[in-house]
Amino acid sequence: MYAAITSVTLVGGEARPVEVQVHVGRQQEVFRLSGLGDTAVREAKDRVRAAIASTGIQFPNRTVTVNLAPADLPKAGTDFDLPIAIGVLAASGEIPGPRPAVSVGELALDGSVRAGYSSLGAAVLSARRRIPCLVASDVAPRAAVVPGSVVYGVASLAEAVDLLRYDDRAPVRAEPPASQTTVPDLADVEGQPLARRALEVAAAGGHHLLLYGPPGGGKTMLARRLPGILPPLGDEEAVEVALIHSAAGLRRDPEPVRPFRSPHHTASRAALVGGGSGVPVPGEVSLAHRGVLFLDELAEFPRANLDSLRQPLEDGYVTVARRGSTVRFPSRFHLVAATNPCPCGYDGDHRRPCVCRPSVVARFRQRVSGPLLDRMDLVVKVGRVEKLSLGELVGESSTTVAARVMEAVRFGAESDGGRIGGEARRVLLDALDKGLVTARGAVRLAGLARTIANLARVERIGEEHLAEAMALRGVW
Amino acid sequence: MIRRLGPDDVDYPAGLCDLEASPRVHLMGTTATGPGVAVVGTRRCTGYGLGLGRAFGAAIAEAGWSTISGLARGIDAAAHHGCLAAGGHAAAVLGSGVDVCYPVENRSLYDQILASGGAILSEYPPGTPPDKWRFPERNRIIAAMAAAVVVVEAAERGGALITARLAAEIGRPVFVVPGDVDRVASVGCNRLIKDGAHPVLGAEDLVSELELVIGPRRAAAPNGRHIPETGCDIETLAITWGLTLAETLVEVGRLELEGVVGRVGDMIVPR
């Protein structure tokens, strides 16, 4: 007597099918489980046995063998409880010929179903395979957001059995998640016209940004407002981002607000780029995928950890190798870093003297110049607010700026992009000749100018766009 | 940061050596590398005087000289403002400690002078309150620091006349704006002219006269926008140039691409 039930696991932020194979033999009573599960998976045996008993069904007193295929793929978590239980009941004849479905969920000993972290993955697989999926009822409406999925919510094992026996229930309706993340508004930032402009350009072109200045100037405040002016995530992107969070054991609905991650400088390398024993877990660079990775106090991060950001920055993904599996997590993030100009924070301030020795300042600046500086298209000083006389940009709300950014992104996507006007080309070549910019610098300058032209909705990069790019580029 | 300068320091204002027992001065900011011209006048000035003060400050700055005044309300403030608007070096000599901004209403001016790389100077130690009797004494510093003194408006008695007299005593030429004979704010000026000061007939005339005293003015920058020798950040440049931030970014970028200016941190500096 044999049954195979489809379930799902997350590998590198992707939903991978898992076949839960159950065989019920004739020998003496024993319950075996194979397929590289972690402790939580192995403990499923006890929960499944109790949940089946609580549902009022006799657990087969024969040999039950469960295999989670592919058997060489490490698996974790409690989401295999439900498919194992269904498999046992199908193989022992309790559910004759269950209809194909993806099922996930943790079983409580009383037979009720609780949500694990794979519900969204199940919905993704449901859409891909065009079969329905069964998930815990409290998360079902959110999982049903996945385009093309057919989701049923089940509150208990009994309900699941019913559903598989009789096809008489309608799937749940999608309930777009109410955004749980509130992004602070740019209108709260006083002054800082230069930094605001830089933030807008960064948002419109996905340029990495370094903010520096004395403590209390508003560097962090500005960075936190970046997600609020970025274009919202598309449906599929939102699902992708939420899946990666699930893989890290974090709950995130497929909502349109882009993620904002700000790891502390004491975070380990594994926490930054991913790791974990057994099943690889995504790190901050992947949790910030399609969103913002904010490194506050950049100079405090250990050099080795910053070095490990190179691959994700360059390739847009990060490879985590663990015993038995190598997994690739996407990591296309928008980097924003902030730092003081010197250890005391007041170098270059005319109100308060800097108390650092020059050699200390030099060493400090060197630390920041390390691996990341040449990725920063924009370097901007965020001074203390005292230049309120520049009224033009003060108090603009995130909504206003976001609209301009959106327009620019759309314009950039529609135009063929890249063309640099004759005058701008001449100026750039002259600057190269004079050694004012390096070849690489010129390429990045042109990219920045492209974004500025997009913001102005101009097809051809003009000399004024190039000039603004040069002024915003900044130096550390 | 407040520094105390004596005659042996390189950035000690050279003109002060012409005073008996060259006084030590306290300095915030940066002293000018070139010569400076004092623009002084009454606090109770007319709108006409304010306009002239501003124009003179700007003209002197555009000629490449430092504008020296006393941060008082009226003509002093107008001259400082004009100088900053033209991107020049402004020096304010106070009758209080350099860290005491008097009058308080000129606080933002005081900040802008520092932010633009100008100088705040005083003979008195930090924290000294603005006592009335110190101001005439302060005026001799203004007179000595300057290569020439311009009086825009002055009543029959007042600080500006004291500055003019002290300047004449140590051999600084004094330029004066003539006014209506019955206008209170011009009585002192007209008296100075009668006593032998040079009348000036406007900003351009002033600069031509000053060229005879100081030497030729600086050639105008390529697009007429000045960046102080000591450097200036972009937001302050926008204020002094009277442009929007976007326009300023483009202008600065152009100068950078031409190689006319460079960067020291967030400061734009001439190369």
Side-chain angles (χ1 to χ4, degrees):
Chain A
M1 306 268 271
Y2 172 80
I5 304 296
T6 308
S7 188
V8 72
T9 191
L10 298 172
V11 178
E14 241 181 82
R16 287 267 187 93
V18 171
E19 194 181 49
V20 179
Q21 306 161 341
V22 184
H23 180 262
V24 176
R26 293 185 185 285
Q27 291 83 5
Q28 66 192 41
E29 178 171 349
V30 78
F31 192 172
R32 281 192 293 246
L33 178 58
S34 62
L36 280 191
D38 69 352
T39 311
V41 174
R42 275 178 272 137
E43 286 170 353
K45 286 195 286 191
D46 303 324
R47 289 189 297 271
V48 167
R49 189 187 289 272
I52 288 180
S54 301
T55 309
I57 304 171
Q58 167 73 42
F59 190 86
N61 51 358
R62 286 175 291 171
T63 309
V64 176
T65 310
V66 176
N67 179 42
L68 308 177
D72 61 348
L73 178 72
K75 299 166 198 75
T78 54
D79 269 315
F80 298 107
D81 292 5
L82 183 62
I84 291 173
I86 292 171
V88 169
L89 297 179
S92 60
E94 287 290 335
I95 316 172
R99 40 181 191 135
V102 187
S103 51
V104 293
E106 174 184 324
L107 286 176
L109 301 188
D110 65 354
S112 58
V113 179
R114 306 154 61 105
Y117 291 98
S118 312
S119 312
L120 202 60
V124 169
L125 198 60
S126 148
R128 205 191 302 152
R129 293 248 170 128
R130 299 180 187 288
I131 52 175
C133 69
L134 273 57
V135 305
S137 51
D138 50 340
V139 297
R142 249 79 47 76
V145 169
V146 177
S149 63
V150 176
V151 178
Y152 290 93
V154 290
S156 65
L157 178 58
E159 253 185 61
V161 170
D162 262 10
L163 195 68
L164 294 171
R165 274 183 183 151
Y166 320 105
D167 180 13
D168 59 357
R169 249 176 67 181
V172 296
R173 260 199 293 178
E175 201 176 279
S179 187
Q180 294 154 345
T181 341
T182 45
V183 180
D185 198 289
L186 260 182
D188 311 335
V189 180
E190 276 186 57
Q192 307 295 8
L194 182 62
R196 274 169 177 270
R197 176 66 180 167
L199 201 66
E200 183 173 335
V201 173
H207 301 285
H208 303 315
L209 169 68
L210 173 65
L211 302 167
Y212 71 99
K219 303 183 291 282
T220 309
M221 206 177 167
L222 280 159
R224 285 196 182 282
R225 280 155 179 77
L226 181 54
I229 60 171
L230 289 170
L233 289 169
D235 287 349
E236 292 193 357
E237 290 174 330
V239 170
E240 182 191 16
V241 168
L243 273 186
I244 297 172
H245 280 70
S246 303
L250 297 169
R251 289 195 196 283
R252 183 188 153 99
D253 289 331
E255 53 174 320
V257 177
R258 290 179 185 264
F260 179 90
R261 303 292 304 181
S262 59
H264 191 252
H265 56 76
T266 55
S268 69
R269 206 172 150 262
L272 280 178
V273 296
S277 54
V279 181
V281 173
E284 292 290 341
V285 295
S286 301
L287 294 172
H289 179 58
R290 299 203 186 278
V292 178
L293 181 69
F294 176 49
L295 303 181
D296 204 356
E297 307 295 355
L298 183 65
E300 304 294 330
F301 281 81
R303 180 66 178 259
N305 289 1
L306 293 182
D307 271 331
S308 67
L309 295 179
R310 274 171 195 258
Q311 190 213 358
L313 266 173
E314 216 153 292
D315 304 335
Y317 62 82
V318 59
T319 314
V320 181
R322 282 294 172 270
R323 187 174 56 91
S325 65
T326 297
V327 172
R328 178 189 275 200
F329 289 104
S331 66
R332 211 166 281 288
F333 55 85
H334 200 152
L335 180 63
V336 179
T339 178
N340 291 339
C342 67
C344 85
Y346 290 94
D347 185 34
D349 195 294
H350 59 79
R351 284 276 186 77
R352 187 168 155 176
C354 166
V355 296
C356 308
R357 287 201 312 275
S359 62
V360 176
V361 176
R363 214 173 315 134
F364 181 88
R365 297 182 79 88
Q366 201 107 50
R367 274 231 295 281
V368 176
S369 323
L372 292 186
L373 193 69
D374 56 345
R375 311 260 161 230
M376 300 292 185
D377 285 346
L378 295 153
V379 179
V380 176
K381 165 139 180 190
V382 181
R384 243 155 339 125
V385 181
E386 46 193 30
K387 311 245 166 68
L388 289 178
S389 30
L390 267 178
E392 46 178 322
L393 288 165
V394 172
E396 259 191 340
S397 71
S398 293
T399 326
T400 317
V401 182
R404 282 201 300 266
V405 169
M406 191 71 199
E407 283 287 317
V409 170
R410 218 175 270 151
F411 183 87
E414 284 164 10
S415 69
D416 57 355
R419 276 186 306 164
I420 181 161
E423 173 69 3
R425 175 183 297 273
R426 188 189 57 73
V427 171
L428 191 55
L429 290 177
D430 279 358
L432 262 169
D433 271 354
K434 288 185 201 160
L436 295 169
V437 290
T438 60
R440 173 134 74 124
V443 171
R444 290 173 52 207
L445 205 56
L448 202 54
R450 178 65 263 162
T451 304
I452 292 169
N454 285 347
L455 275 165
R457 276 178 272 165
V458 177
E459 190 84 20
R460 189 176 272 266
I461 299 172
E463 172 269 341
E464 69 272 28
H465 307 130
L466 192 70
E468 184 175 348
M470 185 75 178
L472 278 178
R473 180 185 70 144
V475 283
W476 165 245
Chain B
M1 192 181 67
I2 299 172
R3 294 171 54 205
R4 202 163 86 152
L5 303 178
D8 296 332
D9 288 299
V10 275
D11 37 6
Y12 183 73
L16 297 185
C17 299
D18 293 347
L19 290 173
E20 267 177 61
S22 313
R24 284 180 171 245
V25 286
H26 299 82
L27 167 72
M28 262 171 99
T30 345
T31 51
T33 46
V37 178
V39 179
V40 297
T42 178
R43 284 169 291 164
R44 295 184 183 168
C45 59
T46 64
Y48 166 76
L50 279 182
L52 271 184
R54 214 182 147 84
F56 285 4
I60 291 165
E62 269 162 22
W65 303 315
S66 168
T67 306
I68 304 163
S69 199
L71 200 74
R73 46 178 86 97
I75 304 293
D76 284 19
H80 286 309
H81 276 301
C83 167
L84 290 176
H89 179 274
V93 185
L94 308 191
S96 54
V98 285
D99 54 344
V100 180
C101 177
Y102 177 83
V104 180
E105 67 195 51
N106 284 343
R107 178 85 218 183
S108 78
L109 177 60
Y110 175 97
D111 289 344
Q112 276 182 43
I113 290 176
L114 287 176
S116 68
I120 305 282
L121 296 133
S122 170
E123 196 179 345
Y124 310 109
T128 307
D131 295 315
K132 201 171 166 186
W133 55 269
R134 290 187 213 272
F135 285 84
E137 211 175 78
R138 171 277 308 262
N139 289 350
R140 80 186 204 292
I141 307 266
I142 295 184
M145 268 178 69
V149 173
V150 186
V151 185
V152 179
E153 281 188 323
E156 200 159 4
R157 300 151 48 105
L161 291 191
I162 299 176
T163 311
R165 186 171 49 76
L166 293 169
E169 276 172 15
I170 53 172
R172 305 283 190 262
V174 177
F175 297 90
V176 182
V177 179
D180 296 356
V181 289
D182 56 352
R183 192 193 293 172
V184 182
S186 288
V187 175
C189 288
N190 292 336
R191 167 103 36 220
L192 283 172
I193 293 173
K194 189 174 178 187
D195 291 346
H198 309 284
V200 283
L201 308 178
E204 181 51 37
D205 181 51
L206 173 67
V207 174
S208 322
E209 291 283 341
L210 287 171
E211 281 186 301
L212 300 176
V213 181
I214 301 174
R217 71 184 88 176
R218 177 179 65 180
N223 55 5
R225 304 217 181 282
H226 296 303
I227 291 175
E229 291 293 321
T230 46
C232 190
D233 68 79
I234 289 177
E235 289 174 4
T236 309
L237 278 180
I239 296 170
T240 53
W241 287 353
L243 297 180
T244 64
L245 180 83
E247 291 164 345
T248 311
L249 283 170
V250 172
E251 290 294 331
V252 168
R254 280 181 180 141
L255 294 175
E256 274 188 272
L257 284 165
E258 284 170 30
V260 180
V261 301
R263 296 266 183 142
V264 176
D266 64 320
M267 301 297 251
I268 313 292
V269 292
R271 307 233 269 204

